Amino acid sequence: RMDRTMTPAISIIIPHLRELANDKALQIALDCILDNTDIDYELMVEAVATRRDIYPVLNNMAHRARAEWLVFANSDTFMAPGWASALYAARDENAIVTGVIVECGVIGVSHLNYHKNFGVVPEAFRRDEFEAWAASDEALDLFKGQQTHYPRGWYFPCLINKRAFNHAGGFDTSKGHFPFDPLDMVFWDKWASDGKQFRRAPSWCYHLQNLTSEDPERIANRARMA
């Protein structure tokens, strides 16, 4: 899957902020990608010095990616089996494709995602339990409801055509930086205003939510839940 002589189907792009808990999460994320990615892929992981560097790094990685299709992801998102082929099957140059994100509930869970706790810190992630649930009828029924009512899912992970992403200008870093200015939301709003589409696919991942947050209240809440 990492054969440099072949063009991969997707380039998986992960910016990584070096921090102890985040480093532990990244190891799980990489293990899940290695075990659960069922199409040819290129894996790109690049360290960022600070949170504000994330969007410029994403733009640069997208420019260097070898695949025609990009998957933007995070260090603390853990992919379920079959996640990649599901996104890839729904690909369209005029659409951003998302799956369904399961979140632990350390902070509020968007209506676009699903609240189910499979662990709030990397050490406590119950991977077998999560993967069994992602393959269940309950998960499939949930996806069908999300697909019908919320075709525009959450931001990362997502699949997008590389040419279309670059043509749209990538993430507009003139408008601010992470975490104060969500440039992924800015990009998606522009994508919608240009008349382009969004799709949902039966692709599942688990998100630990705000793992590198420096907010004392959120840190204390995670500690209580753990």
Side-chain angles (χ1 to χ4, degrees), residues 41 48 67 76 80 96 112 138 151 153 157 196-197 215 218 221 225:
Y41 66 93
V48 297
D76 61 347
I96 294 174
L112 301 175
E138 178 186 347
K196 296 186 178 181
Q197 302 172 349
D215 183 289
R218 292 182 177 181
N221 189 41
M225 292 180 65

Side-chain angles (χ1 to χ4, degrees), residues 71-147:
V71 174
F72 293 114
N74 295 312
S75 301
D76 61 347
T77 52
F78 309 147
M79 310 303 196
W83 73 273
S85 60
L87 291 179
Y88 193 71
R91 68 193 184 280
D92 184 314
E93 289 191 10
N94 292 309
I96 294 174
V97 184
T98 59
V100 180
I101 302 174
V102 180
E103 295 188 313
C104 58
V106 168
I107 60 174
V109 175
S110 167
H111 64 281
L112 301 175
N113 302 330
Y114 184 63
H115 179 200
K116 198 171 181 69
N117 188 349
F118 293 103
V120 300
V121 293
E123 302 90 331
F125 174 52
R126 301 189 300 280
R127 177 176 168 181
D128 290 346
E129 188 178 333
F130 164 64
E131 292 184 354
W133 180 85
S136 70
D137 290 340
E138 178 186 347
L140 181 59
D141 289 342
L142 173 64
F143 161 72
K144 290 176 180 177
Q146 293 279 38
Q147 183 184 40

Side-chain angles (χ1 to χ4, degrees), residues 64 145 158 201:
R64 293 185 284 112
C158 70

Side-chain angles (χ1 to χ4, degrees), residues 6 17 42 44-46 60 63 74 81 87 100 112 114 116 138 164 177 182 190 196 203 208 217 225:
M6 299 178 62
L17 180 67
E42 172 186 44
M44 305 175 72
V45 180
E46 186 166 324
N60 182 267
H63 178 73
N74 295 312
L87 291 179
V100 180
L112 301 175
Y114 184 63
K116 198 171 181 69
E138 178 186 347
H177 57 82
K190 181 179 184 297
K196 296 186 178 181
S203 172
L208 290 178
E217 184 176 343
M225 292 180 65

Side-chain angles (χ1 to χ4, degrees), residues 25-74:
L26 177 65
Q27 186 57 61
I28 297 172
L30 297 181
D31 287 345
C32 289
I33 288 171
L34 291 171
D35 293 342
N36 296 337
T37 306
D38 51 352
I39 58 177
D40 292 336
Y41 66 93
E42 172 186 44
L43 177 59
M44 305 175 72
V45 180
E46 186 166 324
V48 297
T50 67
R51 291 175 177 83
R52 67 180 297 132
D53 300 319
I54 287 175
Y55 292 116
V57 166
L58 286 169
N59 284 339
N60 182 267
M61 294 172 81
H63 178 73
R64 293 185 284 112
R66 296 173 57 231
E68 181 181 356
W69 297 90
L70 311 175
V71 174
F72 293 114
N74 295 312

